[in-house]
Structure formats: C-alpha cells, structure tokens
C-alpha cells in the first residue's frame, strides 16, 4: 500500500509545519508503536497479524521517524451484536489515537481520510465508527468529517483495556456512519 504524506499544520500561530507520513504498520514498527503510543505490544502484534490476513489495516502516523498516532480499520464482522445486525459488512474505524502533543495539526483527520480512501479503493460504500458518549471532542471531529448517527441508539462496546479479572472494559458509544 502506498505511503501518504501530508503537511500537518502547527498548533500555534507562526509554528513551523512538520511533515507527517501515514502508512500501514509492519512488524518492525511494533516496538516503537508500543513504547511511544503506550499500548501493549500484543495489541499491535495482533493488529499487524490481522492485517496480513486481510482482516484489517493498522494505519500509523509518523513524524520525525516516531509514531504519533494510529487507527485500525476492522474488516471483520463487528464484535457488538447491534452493529453486526444493523451494519453487516460495513468496515469499522477503531482505536483512533493521536498523541496529545500532536493533536490539532490535522493528523487525526489524515488518518481517517487515509482509511476512507483505502476502503473506497476496496469497493466499500460506507464505513462506521463508535465514539464514547463522553468524548465530545472526537465526536465533533467525526461530525465535521461527515459522520452521522446511525439511528439505533447507543451500543455497549468492548474497549481494548483488559481489567484485572481478565474481562474487558465496556464503553457506552454512539455509532456514526459515513458514505464513502
């Protein structure tokens, strides 16, 4: 898959813009992703393995050879029964993250656009995502990018956070959909 370059704008007036590259992650990227982005190495290992099987795409944003963000495109059936029921075969954008020091520079938007472009190129007509009900900042970004409520209420989504008892944290989310 081709590498996408973008000019990310600085977060303060007069700040020099820096180049950020958006690309799928590979096996060699996993240690840096885990250390810098703070997720368990197993998360990234699992996503890269799924990517190799054609079950998803782990997109990463890089600045000065360091990862500054990521987004996973889930191409499998949704884990949540309501999403599986109402959006069968619709890819999901998941775990969108940009490091706090790199936010408000267009990196999140670029990750989402790269995912949408890839999905459109694969023939998908729409995509969806879930956003926690308490994450208004992300919800505003998604609305600006054309995502709209799916009309079936909130959904209990499994978070990536593993709890001490071995279960996963559950988040209440709004589901948003966008035509590609």
């Amino acid at each position: 898959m081709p590498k996408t370059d973008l000019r990310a704008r600085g977060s303060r007036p007069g700040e020099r813009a820096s180049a950020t590259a958006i690309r799928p992650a590979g096996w060699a990227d996993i240690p840096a992703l885990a250390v810098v982005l703070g997720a368990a190495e197993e998360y990234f290992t699992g996503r890269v393995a799924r990517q190799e099987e054609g079950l998803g795409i782990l997109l990463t944003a890089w600045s000065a050879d360091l990862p500054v963000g990521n987004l996973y495109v889930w191409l499998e059936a949704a884990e949540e029964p309501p999403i599986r029921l109402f959006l069968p075969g619709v890819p999901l954008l998941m775990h969108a993250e940009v490091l706090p020091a790199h936010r408000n520079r267009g990196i999140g938007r670029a990750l989402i656009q790269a995912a949408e472009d890839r999905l459109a190129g694969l023939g998908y007509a729409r995509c969806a995502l879930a956003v926690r009900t308490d994450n208004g900042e992300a919800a505003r970004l998604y609305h600006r990018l054309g995502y709209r409520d799916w009309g079936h209420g909130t959904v209990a989504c499994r978070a990536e956070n593993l709890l001490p008892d071995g279960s996963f944290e559950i988040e209440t989310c709004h589901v948003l959909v966008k035509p590609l």
Side-chain angles (χ1 to χ4, degrees), residues 9-11 97-107 137:
R9 62 182 172 81
S11 60
E97 176 187 18
V98 175
L99 291 175
H102 295 272
R103 290 182 185 155
N104 300 313
R105 298 180 186 186
I107 296 170
E137 185 177 350

Side-chain angles (χ1 to χ4, degrees), residues 64-89:
D65 296 325
L66 289 175
V68 296
N70 75 102
L71 178 147
Y72 185 70
V73 181
W74 184 274
L75 298 175
E76 302 174 67
E79 293 179 313
E80 299 80 3
I83 298 174
R84 211 172 33 246
L85 175 66
F86 292 111
L87 296 173

Side-chain angles (χ1 to χ4, degrees), residues 131-154:
V131 60
R132 284 190 340 254
T133 56
D134 65 349
N135 193 349
E137 185 177 350
R140 283 187 293 280
L141 170 64
Y142 301 141
H143 283 283
R144 281 194 310 270
L145 296 177
Y147 287 84
R148 299 295 177 252
D149 186 83
W150 75 329
H152 301 287
T154 59

Side-chain angles (χ1 to χ4, degrees), residues 6-87:
L6 71 123
R7 289 304 284 180
R9 62 182 172 81
S11 60
R12 293 178 190 83
E15 185 176 321
R16 203 175 119 216
S18 60
T20 302
I22 306 294
R23 63 173 173 78
W27 292 107
D29 299 325
I30 292 172
L33 291 168
V35 169
V36 176
L37 297 176
E41 196 166 307
E42 292 79 21
Y43 169 79
F44 293 112
T45 300
R47 294 303 189 245
V48 171
R50 281 185 146 112
Q51 180 174 266
E52 284 195 349
E53 295 174 28
L55 301 174
I57 307 164
L58 177 58
L59 292 173
T60 54
W62 296 79
S63 179
D65 296 325
L66 289 175
V68 296
N70 75 102
L71 178 147
Y72 185 70
V73 181
W74 184 274
L75 298 175
E76 302 174 67
E79 293 179 313
E80 299 80 3
I83 298 174
R84 211 172 33 246
L85 175 66
F86 292 111
L87 296 173

